[in-house]
Amino acid sequence: MNLDHVVVVGASAAGLTAAEALRREGYDGRITMIGAEQRLPYDRPPLSKQVLAGTWEPERTALRREDALVEADWLLGTPAAGLDVAARTVRLADGTAIGYDGLVIATGVTPRRLPFGHDLAGVHVLRSMDDALALRKDLLAASSVVVVGAGFLGAETAAVARQMGLAVTLVDPLPAPMIRQFGAKIGGLVAKLHADNGVTVRTGVGVSGLVGLGDQVVAVDLADGSSLPAEVVLVAIGSEPATGWLADSGLSLGNGVDCDSLCRAAPGVVAAGDVASWTHPELGVRLRVEHRMNATEQGMAAAKTLLGKGEPFAPVPYFWTDQYEVKIQAYGMFPEDSVPTVVVGDPAEGSFAAEYHQHGRVVGVLGWNLPRETRKLRARIGGAA
Amino acid sequence: MKVLIDQDKCVGAGQCVLAAPDVFDQRDEDGIVVLLQEYPPAELHEDVRQAARICPALAIELDEA
Ligand SMILES: Cc1cc2nc3c(=O)[nH]c(=O)nc-3n(C[C@H](O)[C@H](O)[C@H](O)COP(=O)(O)OP(=O)(O)OC[C@H]3O[C@@H](n4cnc5c(N)ncnc54)[C@H](O)[C@@H]3O)c2cc1C
Ligand code: SF4
């Protein structure tokens, strides 16, 4: 089939990169960018860091200057509401139908919510620029915040709020922060980092309710019967792939949009970024990676597939997080049964790198305030432990 | 080609060094990008373009005029 019109749904990191890659690879047909948000593409990692802290103006997060945007028809503020794979049409929320020859699905994820309390003022989630600005506004007017969920997003927000001078409580049902991502050893260090900076770390206990006075949140009830006073609450308990609009499409939605190793979900349909899962050709497992670097790499890979130049997508995933003066960087995979071994530096000194071993192989490398050495260790991934 | 880096935006990912080790390095203490060649030779241009594309912080700009 001739490729004369590519539609990209989701106008953010993965979608924009895919569109740019199409142009770079010589595609000169039509591109239509469909985005739910009104804003031109912007970068999300600074939202829980510089934007929340107020050190960057929102404009600084722009992924491209307006005069350097890829040539395309931009339909912003118009979410896609349906997909007909057989007829190759995307339906918008306003009813418009848009035909395509090639489709890039890059709708990312949406924050998971608690089953209660989100209608109260002062209760936030954090995914978009609007979310970040609303949270910052409330933090500026408050003296205390409870962060529900101690993954990287909750942990980064706790750090920023501390630096803004608020009293911060970080709550999670698991025994330590970021434990799901990097295991108990690193989780313990992250817990200590926050405690040393004055955060009250309440791990091992879940949230049972949010208490309002009128329509304003005033407390967070915990499962052990205690209650934490709260002027502001951030709920950061993970996310769900934004696939609601694909419910009737017939696409396989087991783990986001399920793709093969070339990022293909159906004839003429590819997916990339946080929303896409694919079979990693070297690891032989289905992955869905919610990291900034992956959005870029997979966006490029998916674009090449649409042009018939696809190759199996086999990245070494990369992730970083900044909390206080600490930068944690992670290359590769960190499965639950892998064991970290410190190979450079010393956790007690505040900078080190650890290899994660599984079945006698190095599967991941994690650096704690040791960027240059950690990058060099990346080459060890896949090799014998 | 002229290479411009924004050390304030850089997150120390080191992806640029992996893509073009003759043009980029990282500071030891914080991993922030260091430019080794402001005007890299033509044979390195494609590697440098790749570095600018994959930098997750958009900290590398190229002036190809
Ligand atoms: C606050 C925050 C901090 C982060 N920090 C880090 C970090 O330090 N390190 C790291 O590696 N990663 C970080 N990440 C993750 C990183 O930002 C994501 O991996 C990246 O944004 C994924 O890009 P994406 O294009 O796949 O999805 P997104 O950036 O989520 O973009 C998806 C876009 O699709 C739009 N959309 C959704 N549904 C529809 C629809 N039906 N129709 C049209 N458009 C739709 C959305 O509005 C959105 O604009 C962070 C994320 C957040 C939110
Ligand atoms: S790839 Fe970008 S963020 Fe990473 S070190 Fe290079 S310039 Fe900095």
Side-chain angles (χ1 to χ4, degrees):
Chain A
M1 161 161 227
N2 263 351
L3 197 65
D4 292 320
H5 185 198
V6 174
V7 170
V8 179
V9 183
S12 183
L16 177 69
T17 309
E20 291 182 343
L22 287 170
R23 292 285 184 232
R24 200 163 55 237
E25 296 290 329
Y27 170 74
D28 60 4
R30 246 175 94 198
I31 297 179
T32 303
M33 303 289 295
I34 299 173
E37 294 179 82
Q38 201 57 255
R39 293 171 197 273
L40 286 171
Y42 60 90
D43 206 19
R44 282 173 221 279
L47 298 182
S48 51
K49 305 175 184 72
Q50 295 91 336
V51 172
L52 196 58
T55 52
W56 281 18
E57 291 301 316
E59 296 70 46
R60 232 182 133 191
T61 63
L63 283 174
R64 296 290 175 266
R65 285 193 315 269
E66 205 168 333
D67 60 4
L69 273 180
V70 61
E71 196 213 314
D73 300 329
W74 292 81
L75 301 180
L76 298 179
T78 55
L83 169 65
D84 186 332
V85 172
R88 297 203 181 206
T89 35
V90 171
R91 186 168 41 78
L92 302 187
D94 65 9
T96 318
I98 298 181
Y100 64 81
D101 306 318
L103 173 68
V104 180
I105 299 175
T107 43
V109 296
T110 46
R112 195 175 292 146
R113 285 159 200 265
L114 292 167
F116 42 74
H118 284 274
D119 50 336
L120 293 171
V123 178
H124 295 260
V125 294
L126 178 49
R127 182 74 195 172
S128 67
M129 177 62 79
D130 290 347
D131 294 342
L133 296 176
L135 176 59
R136 173 166 168 78
K137 184 160 170 266
D138 275 6
L139 290 180
L140 283 172
S143 57
S144 70
V145 57
V146 174
V147 178
V148 180
F152 87 89
L153 192 61
E156 286 189 356
T157 303
V160 170
R162 263 314 287 150
Q163 289 169 323
M164 291 169 75
L166 281 83
V168 181
T169 309
L170 185 57
V171 185
D172 199 295
L174 294 177
M178 298 190 64
I179 200 167
R180 202 176 273 117
Q181 223 172 346
F182 298 128
K185 207 161 166 176
I186 300 301
L189 292 173
V190 177
K192 182 171 181 318
L193 172 68
H194 283 273
D196 288 350
N197 279 282
V199 171
T200 306
V201 181
R202 291 291 300 270
T203 44
V205 58
V207 167
S208 58
L210 299 184
V211 183
L213 186 65
D215 63 357
Q216 170 67 40
V217 71
V218 291
V220 176
D221 284 345
L222 302 185
D224 63 4
S226 57
S227 186
L228 306 166
E231 294 164 68
V232 181
V233 175
L234 173 70
V235 177
I237 55 173
S239 41
E240 312 277 359
T243 53
W245 66 285
L246 297 168
D248 300 326
S249 66
L251 292 183
S252 169
L253 303 174
N255 181 10
V257 177
D258 297 337
C259 299
D260 64 9
S261 63
L262 286 140
C263 310
R264 285 181 301 208
V269 181
V270 294
D274 286 10
V275 77
S277 75
W278 84 102
T279 307
H280 194 295
E282 282 159 21
L283 304 171
V285 289
R286 178 162 291 282
L287 296 182
R288 191 171 60 75
V289 177
E290 294 185 19
H291 298 163
R292 179 63 185 82
M293 185 73 202
N294 186 67
T296 297
E297 291 184 307
Q298 201 170 12
M300 292 181 184
K304 283 196 172 173
T305 291
L306 270 189
L307 296 174
K309 305 185 212 174
E311 286 162 24
F313 183 52
V316 174
Y318 171 74
F319 165 79
W320 83 96
T321 173
D322 299 329
Q323 296 167 33
Y324 311 100
E325 303 309 315
V326 172
K327 179 182 290 296
I328 301 174
Q329 297 173 295
Y331 297 94
M333 306 290 299
F334 303 84
E336 230 176 288
D337 61 341
S338 62
V339 184
T341 310
V342 173
V343 291
V344 191
D346 180 356
E349 310 264 294
S351 87
F352 66 94
E355 289 180 355
Y356 281 61
H357 298 162
Q358 186 194 36
H359 312 313
R361 307 235 152 242
V362 182
V363 290
V365 172
L366 180 140
W368 181 291
N369 268 352
L370 204 62
R372 201 157 173 265
E373 295 297 320
T374 307
R375 188 202 74 231
K376 291 183 184 161
L377 285 169
R378 178 188 186 268
R380 297 257 306 140
I381 293 173
Chain B
M1 171 193 280
K2 182 180 178 183
V3 184
L4 303 151
I5 54 171
D6 185 340
Q7 293 184 320
D8 192 31
K9 273 193 165 179
C10 170
V11 297
Q15 299 289 340
C16 54
V17 190
L18 295 166
D22 294 330
V23 180
F24 302 100
D25 197 356
Q26 290 175 278
R27 292 202 296 239
D28 249 329
E29 63 277 19
D30 55 7
I32 297 301
V33 61
V34 180
L35 194 55
L36 303 177
Q37 309 189 44
E38 198 178 354
Y39 297 95
E43 66 268 22
L44 295 180
H45 285 186
E46 200 35 47
D47 290 348
V48 174
R49 285 188 199 109
Q50 179 64 9
R53 269 171 221 147
I54 62 167
C55 168
L58 313 157
I60 302 169
E61 245 193 275
L62 304 180
D63 186 349
E64 304 235 27

